[in-house]
Amino acid sequence: MPDQLDFDRGKRPRTVLQGWYGHPFHPVLITVPIGAWVASLVFDVLAIFAEDPSGFLLGAQVLIAIGVVGAVLAAVVGVLDYSVIPARSKAKRMGLLHGVLNSVALVVFAIGWFVRSNAGHDEVSVAAVVISLVGIALVGVSGFLGGELAYHFGIRVAAEKDQAEGVAQR
């Protein structure tokens, strides 16, 4: 069984780029790609019903690009968080799967951006929408795993004794 030092190591940052103890940056940064990619899908739906879909389709493409850039930044910090998870642990394996799924989603959305740029903005590209749906599904599964890492295993979350201080009745 791992000792207390192993548990604490998964909660402490290696560098200021990760945020400080109990306040990781990765969960903040992931909101950018998730929000941008979900919004791009909303723009696709709006484009279906719009008389002139070009503005929505261009907007969706820009949102996908913003999401790709945001995902790269979130991935850099995520790798730093992953590096503090104790080796040969369930959390380490889950973190690896989380990272792989996010990397695949990033590639899927990048491909979607190129499909959109080649399709133009005159009509909704069914292929582009399907690609976005696949990407959103990957991010959903990966996000569940990320939630497990933070909320179930407490990776990069304050130690239980520090959390107890916040809920102690006085």
Side-chain angles (χ1 to χ4, degrees):
M1 176 155 190
D3 62 21
Q4 187 62 39
L5 182 61
D6 287 337
F7 290 119
D8 289 342
R9 191 181 68 179
K11 298 176 182 302
R12 306 255 177 217
R14 278 191 141 152
T15 172
V16 72
L17 295 175
Q18 288 176 266
W20 54 93
Y21 169 71
H23 296 275
F25 287 153
H26 180 70
V28 174
L29 293 174
I30 63 165
T31 61
V32 173
I34 292 171
W37 291 336
V38 169
S40 75
L41 199 54
V42 170
F43 274 38
D44 285 337
V45 171
L46 291 172
I48 291 170
F49 298 104
E51 188 174 312
D52 178 11
S54 61
F56 290 116
L57 296 175
L58 177 60
Q61 186 174 357
V62 169
L63 284 164
I64 288 172
I66 291 168
V68 167
V69 172
V72 169
L73 295 173
V76 169
V77 177
V79 167
L80 293 171
D81 284 353
Y82 176 77
S83 72
V84 299
I85 300 173
R88 297 179 305 282
S89 65
K90 184 175 182 180
K92 190 77 162 186
R93 291 187 300 276
M94 188 177 288
L96 179 62
L97 181 57
H98 171 73
V100 167
L101 288 174
N102 280 330
S103 297
V104 171
L106 174 62
V107 169
V108 165
F109 277 107
I111 290 168
W113 187 89
F114 284 108
V115 167
R116 289 168 187 275
S117 66
N118 290 330
H121 302 112
D122 296 331
E123 62 184 54
V124 177
S125 164
V126 174
V129 173
V130 169
I131 289 169
S132 287
L133 288 170
V134 169
I136 292 289
L138 286 165
V139 168
V141 172
S142 178
F144 173 81
L145 295 174
E148 284 290 294
L149 288 166
Y151 298 116
H152 186 77
F153 295 123
I155 301 300
R156 291 289 289 118
V157 176
E160 288 74 15
K161 65 178 177 52
D162 296 327
Q163 293 174 10
E165 180 182 316
V167 296
Q169 296 180 347
R170 299 192 187 223

